[in-house]
């Protein structure tokens, strides 16, 4: 199983979340890559079994680079890949970058394999974390476990 975790991060929040998810998935997949969206192209998704996309929220939107990546992956490939979404937002941000990304994927005919993970940042959200709260870490772990179950299901069906 090949897993690609792509994140857009201004201040390191999504990078940290992506790394936690990658650590949790590594024992269950043969190949896990965790990379910033600035170094990923649509062709990097070839052969991918699980694609996990994470974005910040800015003015109620996801990263434009993440949106561009979603728009450039061929639809037939998108339909063969299990896809999940995570992101950061402040409590009052609705719609958020996560909603924007989910909407962009839905427009391409993609249904997520697990509900999106919303990591809530305390205001001001632009201050880098010194520590992930235990409540948010529990949400990240639960999201990763749901992805592990998805990987196990995929392995059984192959």
């Amino acid at each position: 199983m090949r897993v690609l975790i792509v994140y857009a991060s201004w201040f390191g929040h999504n990078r940290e979340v992506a790394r936690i998810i990658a650590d949790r998935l590594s024992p269950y997949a043969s190949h896990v890559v965790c990379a910033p969206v600035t170094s990923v192209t649509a062709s990097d998704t070839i052969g991918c079994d699980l694609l996990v996309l994470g974005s910040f929220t800015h003015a109620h939107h996801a990263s434009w680079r993440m949106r561009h990546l979603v728009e450039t992956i061929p639809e037939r490939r998108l339909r063969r890949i299990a896809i999940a979404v995570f992101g950061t937002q402040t409590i009052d941000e609705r719609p958020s970058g996560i909603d924007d990304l989910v909407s962009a994927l839905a427009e391409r005919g993609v249904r997520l394999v697990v509900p999106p993970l919303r990591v809530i940042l305390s205001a001001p959200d632009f201050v880098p974390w010194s520590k992930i709260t235990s409540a948010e870490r529990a949400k990240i772990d639960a999201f990763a476990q749901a992805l592990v179950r998805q990987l196990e299901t995929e392995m059984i069906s192959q």
Side-chain angles (χ1 to χ4, degrees):
M1 299 295 295
R2 183 169 182 255
V3 177
L4 177 59
I5 302 169
V6 183
Y7 62 88
S9 188
W10 275 350
F11 299 103
H13 306 102
N14 284 309
R15 179 184 59 231
E16 180 68 18
V17 173
R19 288 179 179 168
I20 292 169
I21 293 168
D23 287 345
R24 300 297 187 274
L25 295 181
S26 289
Y28 302 94
S30 59
H31 190 71
V32 176
V33 174
C34 181
V37 69
T38 55
S39 65
V40 175
T41 66
S43 62
D44 294 317
T45 63
I46 294 171
C48 190
D49 299 299
L50 174 62
L51 177 62
V52 183
L53 304 171
S55 182
F56 53 78
T57 296
H58 177 70
H60 305 291
H61 293 285
S63 154
W64 69 268
R65 284 186 170 104
M66 190 66 71
R67 289 282 309 251
H68 178 73
L69 176 64
V70 167
E71 291 165 2
T72 57
I73 299 171
E75 282 188 34
R76 68 185 178 281
R77 190 176 316 144
L78 280 175
R79 290 190 192 122
R80 290 193 313 255
I81 301 172
I83 300 178
V85 172
F86 72 91
T88 52
Q89 66 183 73
T90 57
I91 292 171
D92 61 348
E93 277 186 298
R94 293 290 174 122
S96 68
I98 300 143
D99 299 315
D100 186 37
L101 195 51
V102 168
S103 178
L105 288 162
E107 288 171 12
R108 306 282 321 274
V110 173
R111 207 173 118 225
L112 301 178
V113 294
V114 297
L117 168 65
R118 298 174 188 277
V119 178
I120 306 301
L121 303 174
S122 57
D125 64 339
F126 54 86
V127 176
W129 277 339
S130 58
K131 180 181 171 187
I132 296 176
T133 67
S134 58
E136 293 307 306
R137 185 172 290 276
K139 285 172 39 178
I140 296 166
D141 287 339
F143 179 77
Q145 283 303 313
L147 292 175
V148 165
R149 285 191 296 277
Q150 179 65 35
L151 286 175
E152 291 173 338
T153 301
E154 288 294 317
M155 289 188 323
I156 291 169
S157 66
Q158 288 181 356

